[in-house]
Amino acid sequence: AAGVIQSPRHLIKEKRETATLKCYPIPRHDTVYWYQQGPGQDPQFLISFYEKMQSDKGSIPDRFSAQQFSDYHSELNMSSLELGDSALYFCASSLASGGAATGELFFGEGSRLTVL
Amino acid sequence: GESVGLHLPTLSVQEGDNSIINCAYSNSASDYFIWYKQESGKGPQFIIDIRSNMDKRQGQRVTVLLNKTVKHLSLQIAATQPGDSAVYFCAENRGAAGNKLTFGGGTRVLVKP
């Protein structure tokens, strides 16, 4: 079965540079979520999109932005990178059942960002 | 590079024994709880869920117990296998709509052969 695809899997950037992560949700899933997971930490919710509109916002820095495109893929843009941005970034997707909370998010393998 | 040391609680269990992983949550309004398994270098994988109107739910080799009085959640794994070695997270749905999940601290399970 098709899963959530994230790219790139690994990314190395210098401080103050910009990075873009991409996420391709499971076909027919209409909701995309971004999570950040630091070493030894639990995943922290950043932002989510439902039908291409931002649906919820978490602890996403102002330096980050995200959007969901017409084909439902999503991109997370990170600017003015800091050392503390080094983390695993997970994208997840789900199919909203009329807005009912089912909780079954399907996660991708993650993109590991290292900021030097 | 990565910081040294992952200060996760660790549960060491003998292969074949049962494992119990505990989780405390703080939001009384949360109405949906999920357990995720995360293997090294991979994304979290859904294991089992439970709604707040239930206190127990069983899956294949796994059971989730919910005690709303003390805001406690547990995951029981029967006959633990080497493939069960992973970090386990509980998560709660705090979203007014949709599926915004808030993850709790993980527990590392190490299965000894």
Side-chain angles (χ1 to χ4, degrees), chain A residues 33 35 37 39-40 42-43 45 56 90 94 99 101-105 107-108 112, chain B residues 2-3 6 8 32 36 38 42-44 51 89 93 98-101 103-105:
Chain A
Y33 313 79
Y35 281 81
Q37 186 177 31
D42 39 278
F45 173 75
D56 214 335
F90 288 105
S94 71
T102 65
E104 187 162 0
L105 273 60
F107 283 81
R112 183 176 296 280
Chain B
E2 288 189 347
S3 55
L6 300 178
L8 291 170
Y32 188 74
Y36 277 87
Q38 187 176 25
K42 295 188 175 182
R51 294 204 172 275
F89 291 97
N93 189 325
N99 294 329
K100 174 186 169 184
L101 293 181
F103 283 79

PDB file of all heavy atoms in Angstrom, chain A residues 33 35 37 39-40 42-43 45 56 90 94 99 101-105 107-108 112, chain B residues 2-3 6 8 32 36 38 42-44 51 89 93 98-101 103-105:
ATOM      1  N   TYR A  33      -0.136  16.813   8.199  1.00  0.00           N
ATOM      2  CA  TYR A  33       0.393  17.358   9.447  1.00  0.00           C
ATOM      3  C   TYR A  33       1.914  17.368   9.368  1.00  0.00           C
ATOM      4  O   TYR A  33       2.509  16.469   8.794  1.00  0.00           O
ATOM      5  CB  TYR A  33      -0.002  16.476  10.636  1.00  0.00           C
ATOM      6  CG  TYR A  33      -1.453  16.083  10.674  1.00  0.00           C
ATOM      7  CD1 TYR A  33      -1.918  15.045   9.867  1.00  0.00           C
ATOM      8  CD2 TYR A  33      -2.352  16.726  11.514  1.00  0.00           C
ATOM      9  CE1 TYR A  33      -3.249  14.666   9.890  1.00  0.00           C
ATOM     10  CE2 TYR A  33      -3.688  16.353  11.540  1.00  0.00           C
ATOM     11  CZ  TYR A  33      -4.124  15.320  10.731  1.00  0.00           C
ATOM     12  OH  TYR A  33      -5.453  14.958  10.762  1.00  0.00           O
ATOM     13  N   TYR A  35       5.289  17.470  11.945  1.00  0.00           N
ATOM     14  CA  TYR A  35       5.793  17.329  13.303  1.00  0.00           C
ATOM     15  C   TYR A  35       7.312  17.460  13.295  1.00  0.00           C
ATOM     16  O   TYR A  35       7.982  17.061  12.328  1.00  0.00           O
ATOM     17  CB  TYR A  35       5.436  15.957  13.891  1.00  0.00           C
ATOM     18  CG  TYR A  35       4.019  15.833  14.385  1.00  0.00           C
ATOM     19  CD1 TYR A  35       2.972  15.585  13.511  1.00  0.00           C
ATOM     20  CD2 TYR A  35       3.730  15.980  15.737  1.00  0.00           C
ATOM     21  CE1 TYR A  35       1.673  15.482  13.970  1.00  0.00           C
ATOM     22  CE2 TYR A  35       2.427  15.874  16.211  1.00  0.00           C
ATOM     23  CZ  TYR A  35       1.409  15.629  15.317  1.00  0.00           C
ATOM     24  OH  TYR A  35       0.115  15.530  15.794  1.00  0.00           O
ATOM     25  N   GLN A  37      10.732  16.418  15.580  1.00  0.00           N
ATOM     26  CA  GLN A  37      11.183  15.567  16.667  1.00  0.00           C
ATOM     27  C   GLN A  37      12.684  15.734  16.885  1.00  0.00           C
ATOM     28  O   GLN A  37      13.494  15.332  16.055  1.00  0.00           O
ATOM     29  CB  GLN A  37      10.858  14.105  16.390  1.00  0.00           C
ATOM     30  CG  GLN A  37      11.179  13.175  17.555  1.00  0.00           C
ATOM     31  CD  GLN A  37      10.780  11.741  17.296  1.00  0.00           C
ATOM     32  OE1 GLN A  37      10.798  11.282  16.156  1.00  0.00           O
ATOM     33  NE2 GLN A  37      10.422  11.004  18.351  1.00  0.00           N
ATOM     34  N   PRO A  39      16.285  15.062  19.052  1.00  0.00           N
ATOM     35  CA  PRO A  39      16.881  13.825  19.574  1.00  0.00           C
ATOM     36  C   PRO A  39      16.342  13.489  20.957  1.00  0.00           C
ATOM     37  O   PRO A  39      16.374  14.318  21.862  1.00  0.00           O
ATOM     38  CB  PRO A  39      18.379  14.160  19.632  1.00  0.00           C
ATOM     39  CG  PRO A  39      18.566  15.251  18.645  1.00  0.00           C
ATOM     40  CD  PRO A  39      17.304  16.061  18.683  1.00  0.00           C
ATOM     41  N   GLY A  40      15.803  12.283  21.107  1.00  0.00           N
ATOM     42  CA  GLY A  40      15.277  11.844  22.391  1.00  0.00           C
ATOM     43  C   GLY A  40      14.000  12.532  22.817  1.00  0.00           C
ATOM     44  O   GLY A  40      13.585  12.413  23.968  1.00  0.00           O
ATOM     45  N   ASP A  42       9.787  13.721  22.105  1.00  0.00           N
ATOM     46  CA  ASP A  42       8.593  13.250  21.429  1.00  0.00           C
ATOM     47  C   ASP A  42       8.264  14.202  20.283  1.00  0.00           C
ATOM     48  O   ASP A  42       8.677  15.365  20.291  1.00  0.00           O
ATOM     49  CB  ASP A  42       7.422  13.124  22.396  1.00  0.00           C
ATOM     50  CG  ASP A  42       7.357  14.234  23.395  1.00  0.00           C
ATOM     51  OD1 ASP A  42       8.081  14.157  24.413  1.00  0.00           O
ATOM     52  OD2 ASP A  42       6.597  15.175  23.170  1.00  0.00           O
ATOM     53  N   PRO A  43       7.546  13.730  19.306  1.00  0.00           N
ATOM     54  CA  PRO A  43       7.185  14.602  18.173  1.00  0.00           C
ATOM     55  C   PRO A  43       6.354  15.791  18.643  1.00  0.00           C
ATOM     56  O   PRO A  43       5.416  15.641  19.421  1.00  0.00           O
ATOM     57  CB  PRO A  43       6.382  13.667  17.270  1.00  0.00           C
ATOM     58  CG  PRO A  43       6.801  12.280  17.648  1.00  0.00           C
ATOM     59  CD  PRO A  43       7.064  12.360  19.128  1.00  0.00           C
ATOM     60  N   PHE A  45       3.957  18.921  17.438  1.00  0.00           N
ATOM     61  CA  PHE A  45       3.101  19.354  16.335  1.00  0.00           C
ATOM     62  C   PHE A  45       3.491  20.753  15.866  1.00  0.00           C
ATOM     63  O   PHE A  45       3.642  21.679  16.672  1.00  0.00           O
ATOM     64  CB  PHE A  45       1.648  19.325  16.793  1.00  0.00           C
ATOM     65  CG  PHE A  45       0.679  19.901  15.810  1.00  0.00           C
ATOM     66  CD1 PHE A  45       0.323  19.191  14.669  1.00  0.00           C
ATOM     67  CD2 PHE A  45       0.110  21.148  16.014  1.00  0.00           C
ATOM     68  CE1 PHE A  45      -0.567  19.713  13.757  1.00  0.00           C
ATOM     69  CE2 PHE A  45      -0.786  21.677  15.107  1.00  0.00           C
ATOM     70  CZ  PHE A  45      -1.133  20.963  13.974  1.00  0.00           C
ATOM     71  N   ASP A  56      -4.785  23.884  11.718  1.00  0.00           N
ATOM     72  CA  ASP A  56      -4.353  23.996  13.102  1.00  0.00           C
ATOM     73  C   ASP A  56      -2.877  24.408  13.114  1.00  0.00           C
ATOM     74  O   ASP A  56      -2.147  24.134  12.157  1.00  0.00           O
ATOM     75  CB  ASP A  56      -4.527  22.664  13.847  1.00  0.00           C
ATOM     76  CG  ASP A  56      -4.891  22.858  15.306  1.00  0.00           C
ATOM     77  OD1 ASP A  56      -4.564  23.925  15.870  1.00  0.00           O
ATOM     78  OD2 ASP A  56      -5.504  21.945  15.892  1.00  0.00           O
ATOM     79  N   PHE A  90       8.668  15.072  10.560  1.00  0.00           N
ATOM     80  CA  PHE A  90       7.746  14.067  10.055  1.00  0.00           C
ATOM     81  C   PHE A  90       6.522  14.737   9.448  1.00  0.00           C
ATOM     82  O   PHE A  90       6.004  15.716   9.988  1.00  0.00           O
ATOM     83  CB  PHE A  90       7.278  13.135  11.181  1.00  0.00           C
ATOM     84  CG  PHE A  90       8.329  12.183  11.647  1.00  0.00           C
ATOM     85  CD1 PHE A  90       8.981  12.390  12.847  1.00  0.00           C
ATOM     86  CD2 PHE A  90       8.669  11.085  10.886  1.00  0.00           C
ATOM     87  CE1 PHE A  90       9.955  11.511  13.290  1.00  0.00           C
ATOM     88  CE2 PHE A  90       9.645  10.194  11.316  1.00  0.00           C
ATOM     89  CZ  PHE A  90      10.295  10.413  12.515  1.00  0.00           C
ATOM     90  N   SER A  94      -3.938  11.952   6.934  1.00  0.00           N
ATOM     91  CA  SER A  94      -5.126  11.222   7.381  1.00  0.00           C
ATOM     92  C   SER A  94      -6.294  11.611   6.492  1.00  0.00           C
ATOM     93  O   SER A  94      -6.236  12.583   5.732  1.00  0.00           O
ATOM     94  CB  SER A  94      -5.447  11.538   8.851  1.00  0.00           C
ATOM     95  OG  SER A  94      -5.934  12.864   8.987  1.00  0.00           O
ATOM     96  N   GLY A  99     -14.657  15.532   9.663  1.00  0.00           N
ATOM     97  CA  GLY A  99     -14.113  16.313  10.769  1.00  0.00           C
ATOM     98  C   GLY A  99     -14.016  15.537  12.045  1.00  0.00           C
ATOM     99  O   GLY A  99     -13.468  16.007  13.037  1.00  0.00           O
ATOM    100  N   ALA A 101     -12.645  13.192  14.820  1.00  0.00           N
ATOM    101  CA  ALA A 101     -11.277  12.898  15.231  1.00  0.00           C
ATOM    102  C   ALA A 101     -11.086  11.401  15.346  1.00  0.00           C
ATOM    103  O   ALA A 101     -11.644  10.761  16.215  1.00  0.00           O
ATOM    104  CB  ALA A 101     -10.996  13.586  16.563  1.00  0.00           C
ATOM    105  N   THR A 102     -10.299  10.837  14.450  1.00  0.00           N
ATOM    106  CA  THR A 102     -10.028   9.413  14.554  1.00  0.00           C
ATOM    107  C   THR A 102      -8.631   9.152  15.069  1.00  0.00           C
ATOM    108  O   THR A 102      -8.359   8.094  15.610  1.00  0.00           O
ATOM    109  CB  THR A 102     -10.172   8.724  13.190  1.00  0.00           C
ATOM    110  OG1 THR A 102      -9.164   9.243  12.310  1.00  0.00           O
ATOM    111  CG2 THR A 102     -11.539   8.960  12.605  1.00  0.00           C
ATOM    112  N   GLY A 103      -7.769  10.104  14.865  1.00  0.00           N
ATOM    113  CA  GLY A 103      -6.428   9.983  15.433  1.00  0.00           C
ATOM    114  C   GLY A 103      -5.484   9.146  14.634  1.00  0.00           C
ATOM    115  O   GLY A 103      -4.296   9.141  14.904  1.00  0.00           O
ATOM    116  N   GLU A 104      -5.980   8.363  13.647  1.00  0.00           N
ATOM    117  CA  GLU A 104      -5.055   7.486  12.957  1.00  0.00           C
ATOM    118  C   GLU A 104      -4.323   8.269  11.891  1.00  0.00           C
ATOM    119  O   GLU A 104      -4.747   8.341  10.742  1.00  0.00           O
ATOM    120  CB  GLU A 104      -5.762   6.277  12.354  1.00  0.00           C
ATOM    121  CG  GLU A 104      -4.767   5.272  11.785  1.00  0.00           C
ATOM    122  CD  GLU A 104      -5.339   3.895  11.570  1.00  0.00           C
ATOM    123  OE1 GLU A 104      -6.533   3.695  11.871  1.00  0.00           O
ATOM    124  OE2 GLU A 104      -4.601   3.015  11.113  1.00  0.00           O
ATOM    125  N   LEU A 105      -3.221   8.828  12.293  1.00  0.00           N
ATOM    126  CA  LEU A 105      -2.341   9.515  11.378  1.00  0.00           C
ATOM    127  C   LEU A 105      -1.320   8.527  10.856  1.00  0.00           C
ATOM    128  O   LEU A 105      -0.776   7.720  11.608  1.00  0.00           O
ATOM    129  CB  LEU A 105      -1.611  10.655  12.101  1.00  0.00           C
ATOM    130  CG  LEU A 105      -2.320  12.008  12.175  1.00  0.00           C
ATOM    131  CD1 LEU A 105      -3.643  11.897  12.886  1.00  0.00           C
ATOM    132  CD2 LEU A 105      -1.429  13.024  12.852  1.00  0.00           C
ATOM    133  N   PHE A 107       2.285   8.221   9.325  1.00  0.00           N
ATOM    134  CA  PHE A 107       3.500   9.017   9.273  1.00  0.00           C
ATOM    135  C   PHE A 107       4.432   8.540   8.172  1.00  0.00           C
ATOM    136  O   PHE A 107       4.505   7.348   7.852  1.00  0.00           O
ATOM    137  CB  PHE A 107       4.245   8.926  10.606  1.00  0.00           C
ATOM    138  CG  PHE A 107       3.639   9.763  11.693  1.00  0.00           C
ATOM    139  CD1 PHE A 107       2.541   9.307  12.399  1.00  0.00           C
ATOM    140  CD2 PHE A 107       4.161  11.012  11.998  1.00  0.00           C
ATOM    141  CE1 PHE A 107       1.968  10.080  13.405  1.00  0.00           C
ATOM    142  CE2 PHE A 107       3.602  11.784  13.006  1.00  0.00           C
ATOM    143  CZ  PHE A 107       2.506  11.319  13.700  1.00  0.00           C
ATOM    144  N   GLY A 108       5.165   9.510   7.616  1.00  0.00           N
ATOM    145  CA  GLY A 108       6.241   9.181   6.701  1.00  0.00           C
ATOM    146  C   GLY A 108       7.489   8.779   7.459  1.00  0.00           C
ATOM    147  O   GLY A 108       7.484   8.735   8.696  1.00  0.00           O
ATOM    148  N   ARG A 112      15.555  14.104   7.935  1.00  0.00           N
ATOM    149  CA  ARG A 112      16.498  14.501   8.985  1.00  0.00           C
ATOM    150  C   ARG A 112      17.261  15.731   8.538  1.00  0.00           C
ATOM    151  O   ARG A 112      18.009  15.695   7.561  1.00  0.00           O
ATOM    152  CB  ARG A 112      17.479  13.379   9.297  1.00  0.00           C
ATOM    153  CG  ARG A 112      18.442  13.735  10.437  1.00  0.00           C
ATOM    154  CD  ARG A 112      19.356  12.566  10.805  1.00  0.00           C
ATOM    155  NE  ARG A 112      18.621  11.439  11.336  1.00  0.00           N
ATOM    156  CZ  ARG A 112      18.180  11.343  12.578  1.00  0.00           C
ATOM    157  NH1 ARG A 112      18.384  12.328  13.436  1.00  0.00           N
ATOM    158  NH2 ARG A 112      17.530  10.271  12.981  1.00  0.00           N
TER     159      ARG A 112
ATOM    160  N   GLU B   2      23.866  14.949  16.433  1.00  0.00           N
ATOM    161  CA  GLU B   2      22.883  14.642  17.457  1.00  0.00           C
ATOM    162  C   GLU B   2      23.505  14.772  18.841  1.00  0.00           C
ATOM    163  O   GLU B   2      24.678  14.517  19.039  1.00  0.00           O
ATOM    164  CB  GLU B   2      22.373  13.208  17.280  1.00  0.00           C
ATOM    165  CG  GLU B   2      21.467  13.046  16.072  1.00  0.00           C
ATOM    166  CD  GLU B   2      20.826  11.667  16.067  1.00  0.00           C
ATOM    167  OE1 GLU B   2      21.255  10.812  16.826  1.00  0.00           O
ATOM    168  OE2 GLU B   2      19.906  11.467  15.275  1.00  0.00           O
ATOM    169  N   SER B   3      22.697  15.163  19.772  1.00  0.00           N
ATOM    170  CA  SER B   3      23.173  15.225  21.150  1.00  0.00           C
ATOM    171  C   SER B   3      23.345  13.813  21.662  1.00  0.00           C
ATOM    172  O   SER B   3      22.681  12.883  21.223  1.00  0.00           O
ATOM    173  CB  SER B   3      22.198  16.010  22.011  1.00  0.00           C
ATOM    174  OG  SER B   3      20.913  15.482  21.923  1.00  0.00           O
ATOM    175  N   LEU B   6      19.945   9.501  24.851  1.00  0.00           N
ATOM    176  CA  LEU B   6      18.512   9.672  24.758  1.00  0.00           C
ATOM    177  C   LEU B   6      17.940   9.314  26.115  1.00  0.00           C
ATOM    178  O   LEU B   6      17.921   8.166  26.516  1.00  0.00           O
ATOM    179  CB  LEU B   6      17.939   8.759  23.667  1.00  0.00           C
ATOM    180  CG  LEU B   6      18.475   8.993  22.259  1.00  0.00           C
ATOM    181  CD1 LEU B   6      17.887   8.006  21.288  1.00  0.00           C
ATOM    182  CD2 LEU B   6      18.209  10.411  21.809  1.00  0.00           C
ATOM    183  N   LEU B   8      15.370   8.555  27.612  1.00  0.00           N
ATOM    184  CA  LEU B   8      14.035   8.018  27.649  1.00  0.00           C
ATOM    185  C   LEU B   8      13.946   6.954  28.733  1.00  0.00           C
ATOM    186  O   LEU B   8      14.876   6.176  28.930  1.00  0.00           O
ATOM    187  CB  LEU B   8      13.695   7.371  26.300  1.00  0.00           C
ATOM    188  CG  LEU B   8      13.515   8.291  25.086  1.00  0.00           C
ATOM    189  CD1 LEU B   8      13.434   7.457  23.838  1.00  0.00           C
ATOM    190  CD2 LEU B   8      12.310   9.171  25.269  1.00  0.00           C
ATOM    191  N   TYR B  32      -9.665  11.253  23.051  1.00  0.00           N
ATOM    192  CA  TYR B  32      -9.200  10.194  22.162  1.00  0.00           C
ATOM    193  C   TYR B  32      -7.720  10.004  22.406  1.00  0.00           C
ATOM    194  O   TYR B  32      -6.962  10.972  22.440  1.00  0.00           O
ATOM    195  CB  TYR B  32      -9.489  10.608  20.719  1.00  0.00           C
ATOM    196  CG  TYR B  32      -9.241   9.539  19.718  1.00  0.00           C
ATOM    197  CD1 TYR B  32     -10.100   8.472  19.577  1.00  0.00           C
ATOM    198  CD2 TYR B  32      -8.125   9.594  18.902  1.00  0.00           C
ATOM    199  CE1 TYR B  32      -9.870   7.480  18.651  1.00  0.00           C
ATOM    200  CE2 TYR B  32      -7.877   8.606  17.968  1.00  0.00           C
ATOM    201  CZ  TYR B  32      -8.760   7.556  17.845  1.00  0.00           C
ATOM    202  OH  TYR B  32      -8.522   6.567  16.938  1.00  0.00           O
ATOM    203  N   TYR B  36       1.491   4.871  19.749  1.00  0.00           N
ATOM    204  CA  TYR B  36       2.313   4.743  18.555  1.00  0.00           C
ATOM    205  C   TYR B  36       3.615   4.036  18.907  1.00  0.00           C
ATOM    206  O   TYR B  36       4.148   4.191  19.997  1.00  0.00           O
ATOM    207  CB  TYR B  36       2.649   6.120  17.959  1.00  0.00           C
ATOM    208  CG  TYR B  36       1.571   6.697  17.073  1.00  0.00           C
ATOM    209  CD1 TYR B  36       0.535   7.457  17.612  1.00  0.00           C
ATOM    210  CD2 TYR B  36       1.591   6.481  15.706  1.00  0.00           C
ATOM    211  CE1 TYR B  36      -0.450   7.989  16.792  1.00  0.00           C
ATOM    212  CE2 TYR B  36       0.602   7.010  14.883  1.00  0.00           C
ATOM    213  CZ  TYR B  36      -0.417   7.763  15.440  1.00  0.00           C
ATOM    214  OH  TYR B  36      -1.397   8.284  14.627  1.00  0.00           O
ATOM    215  N   GLN B  38       7.548   3.595  17.532  1.00  0.00           N
ATOM    216  CA  GLN B  38       8.533   4.191  16.638  1.00  0.00           C
ATOM    217  C   GLN B  38       9.834   3.402  16.685  1.00  0.00           C
ATOM    218  O   GLN B  38      10.519   3.375  17.709  1.00  0.00           O
ATOM    219  CB  GLN B  38       8.792   5.661  16.990  1.00  0.00           C
ATOM    220  CG  GLN B  38       9.692   6.354  15.981  1.00  0.00           C
ATOM    221  CD  GLN B  38       9.873   7.830  16.266  1.00  0.00           C
ATOM    222  OE1 GLN B  38       9.738   8.296  17.393  1.00  0.00           O
ATOM    223  NE2 GLN B  38      10.169   8.602  15.228  1.00  0.00           N
ATOM    224  N   LYS B  42      12.612   5.529  11.902  1.00  0.00           N
ATOM    225  CA  LYS B  42      11.347   5.455  11.187  1.00  0.00           C
ATOM    226  C   LYS B  42      10.325   6.374  11.810  1.00  0.00           C
ATOM    227  O   LYS B  42      10.501   6.880  12.917  1.00  0.00           O
ATOM    228  CB  LYS B  42      10.824   4.023  11.189  1.00  0.00           C
ATOM    229  CG  LYS B  42      11.694   3.049  10.420  1.00  0.00           C
ATOM    230  CD  LYS B  42      11.023   1.691  10.294  1.00  0.00           C
ATOM    231  CE  LYS B  42      11.840   0.758   9.427  1.00  0.00           C
ATOM    232  NZ  LYS B  42      11.178  -0.561   9.249  1.00  0.00           N
ATOM    233  N   GLY B  43       9.242   6.573  11.099  1.00  0.00           N
ATOM    234  CA  GLY B  43       8.159   7.385  11.618  1.00  0.00           C
ATOM    235  C   GLY B  43       7.289   6.597  12.578  1.00  0.00           C
ATOM    236  O   GLY B  43       7.291   5.366  12.574  1.00  0.00           O
ATOM    237  N   PRO B  44       6.546   7.293  13.436  1.00  0.00           N
ATOM    238  CA  PRO B  44       5.636   6.595  14.357  1.00  0.00           C
ATOM    239  C   PRO B  44       4.611   5.759  13.603  1.00  0.00           C
ATOM    240  O   PRO B  44       4.095   6.174  12.560  1.00  0.00           O
ATOM    241  CB  PRO B  44       4.962   7.751  15.111  1.00  0.00           C
ATOM    242  CG  PRO B  44       5.905   8.900  14.992  1.00  0.00           C
ATOM    243  CD  PRO B  44       6.524   8.752  13.630  1.00  0.00           C
ATOM    244  N   ARG B  51     -11.219   5.513  22.839  1.00  0.00           N
ATOM    245  CA  ARG B  51     -11.995   6.733  23.107  1.00  0.00           C
ATOM    246  C   ARG B  51     -12.273   6.846  24.602  1.00  0.00           C
ATOM    247  O   ARG B  51     -12.253   5.855  25.329  1.00  0.00           O
ATOM    248  CB  ARG B  51     -13.304   6.699  22.323  1.00  0.00           C
ATOM    249  CG  ARG B  51     -13.102   6.771  20.827  1.00  0.00           C
ATOM    250  CD  ARG B  51     -14.320   7.320  20.099  1.00  0.00           C
ATOM    251  NE  ARG B  51     -14.015   7.550  18.699  1.00  0.00           N
ATOM    252  CZ  ARG B  51     -13.447   8.651  18.243  1.00  0.00           C
ATOM    253  NH1 ARG B  51     -13.147   9.621  19.068  1.00  0.00           N
ATOM    254  NH2 ARG B  51     -13.205   8.795  16.959  1.00  0.00           N
ATOM    255  N   PHE B  89       5.061   5.736  22.195  1.00  0.00           N
ATOM    256  CA  PHE B  89       4.501   7.026  22.595  1.00  0.00           C
ATOM    257  C   PHE B  89       3.002   6.911  22.771  1.00  0.00           C
ATOM    258  O   PHE B  89       2.322   6.297  21.950  1.00  0.00           O
ATOM    259  CB  PHE B  89       4.753   8.091  21.517  1.00  0.00           C
ATOM    260  CG  PHE B  89       6.175   8.503  21.342  1.00  0.00           C
ATOM    261  CD1 PHE B  89       6.957   7.944  20.342  1.00  0.00           C
ATOM    262  CD2 PHE B  89       6.733   9.479  22.146  1.00  0.00           C
ATOM    263  CE1 PHE B  89       8.279   8.332  20.159  1.00  0.00           C
ATOM    264  CE2 PHE B  89       8.046   9.885  21.977  1.00  0.00           C
ATOM    265  CZ  PHE B  89       8.818   9.308  20.984  1.00  0.00           C
ATOM    266  N   ASN B  93      -5.656  13.383  21.502  1.00  0.00           N
ATOM    267  CA  ASN B  93      -6.210  14.295  20.520  1.00  0.00           C
ATOM    268  C   ASN B  93      -6.828  15.461  21.258  1.00  0.00           C
ATOM    269  O   ASN B  93      -7.834  15.304  21.939  1.00  0.00           O
ATOM    270  CB  ASN B  93      -7.257  13.581  19.673  1.00  0.00           C
ATOM    271  CG  ASN B  93      -7.705  14.439  18.507  1.00  0.00           C
ATOM    272  OD1 ASN B  93      -7.782  15.645  18.631  1.00  0.00           O
ATOM    273  ND2 ASN B  93      -7.994  13.802  17.397  1.00  0.00           N
ATOM    274  N   GLY B  98     -10.610  17.890  13.714  1.00  0.00           N
ATOM    275  CA  GLY B  98      -9.424  17.323  13.094  1.00  0.00           C
ATOM    276  C   GLY B  98      -8.632  16.481  14.066  1.00  0.00           C
ATOM    277  O   GLY B  98      -9.124  16.101  15.118  1.00  0.00           O
ATOM    278  N   ASN B  99      -7.419  16.215  13.716  1.00  0.00           N
ATOM    279  CA  ASN B  99      -6.653  15.199  14.410  1.00  0.00           C
ATOM    280  C   ASN B  99      -5.326  15.692  14.939  1.00  0.00           C
ATOM    281  O   ASN B  99      -4.335  14.996  14.859  1.00  0.00           O
ATOM    282  CB  ASN B  99      -6.392  14.025  13.475  1.00  0.00           C
ATOM    283  CG  ASN B  99      -7.663  13.311  13.116  1.00  0.00           C
ATOM    284  OD1 ASN B  99      -8.590  13.272  13.890  1.00  0.00           O
ATOM    285  ND2 ASN B  99      -7.698  12.757  11.935  1.00  0.00           N
ATOM    286  N   LYS B 100      -5.288  16.860  15.513  1.00  0.00           N
ATOM    287  CA  LYS B 100      -4.036  17.338  16.092  1.00  0.00           C
ATOM    288  C   LYS B 100      -3.703  16.462  17.280  1.00  0.00           C
ATOM    289  O   LYS B 100      -4.455  16.391  18.251  1.00  0.00           O
ATOM    290  CB  LYS B 100      -4.192  18.791  16.533  1.00  0.00           C
ATOM    291  CG  LYS B 100      -2.990  19.334  17.290  1.00  0.00           C
ATOM    292  CD  LYS B 100      -3.280  20.716  17.824  1.00  0.00           C
ATOM    293  CE  LYS B 100      -2.214  21.161  18.798  1.00  0.00           C
ATOM    294  NZ  LYS B 100      -2.524  22.476  19.393  1.00  0.00           N
ATOM    295  N   LEU B 101      -2.586  15.770  17.200  1.00  0.00           N
ATOM    296  CA  LEU B 101      -2.159  14.874  18.257  1.00  0.00           C
ATOM    297  C   LEU B 101      -1.060  15.509  19.085  1.00  0.00           C
ATOM    298  O   LEU B 101      -0.133  16.089  18.553  1.00  0.00           O
ATOM    299  CB  LEU B 101      -1.630  13.567  17.674  1.00  0.00           C
ATOM    300  CG  LEU B 101      -2.622  12.651  16.973  1.00  0.00           C
ATOM    301  CD1 LEU B 101      -1.906  11.407  16.482  1.00  0.00           C
ATOM    302  CD2 LEU B 101      -3.759  12.281  17.895  1.00  0.00           C
ATOM    303  N   PHE B 103       1.790  14.378  21.628  1.00  0.00           N
ATOM    304  CA  PHE B 103       2.492  13.174  22.054  1.00  0.00           C
ATOM    305  C   PHE B 103       3.018  13.351  23.471  1.00  0.00           C
ATOM    306  O   PHE B 103       3.471  14.428  23.864  1.00  0.00           O
ATOM    307  CB  PHE B 103       3.669  12.894  21.123  1.00  0.00           C
ATOM    308  CG  PHE B 103       3.271  12.286  19.814  1.00  0.00           C
ATOM    309  CD1 PHE B 103       2.760  13.067  18.800  1.00  0.00           C
ATOM    310  CD2 PHE B 103       3.412  10.923  19.601  1.00  0.00           C
ATOM    311  CE1 PHE B 103       2.387  12.506  17.589  1.00  0.00           C
ATOM    312  CE2 PHE B 103       3.047  10.350  18.387  1.00  0.00           C
ATOM    313  CZ  PHE B 103       2.530  11.149  17.379  1.00  0.00           C
ATOM    314  N   GLY B 104       2.976  12.260  24.223  1.00  0.00           N
ATOM    315  CA  GLY B 104       3.597  12.245  25.535  1.00  0.00           C
ATOM    316  C   GLY B 104       5.019  11.735  25.408  1.00  0.00           C
ATOM    317  O   GLY B 104       5.463  11.364  24.333  1.00  0.00           O
ATOM    318  N   GLY B 105       5.740  11.741  26.486  1.00  0.00           N
ATOM    319  CA  GLY B 105       7.106  11.250  26.471  1.00  0.00           C
ATOM    320  C   GLY B 105       7.146   9.775  26.122  1.00  0.00           C
ATOM    321  O   GLY B 105       6.269   9.015  26.506  1.00  0.00           O
TER     322      GLY B 105
END
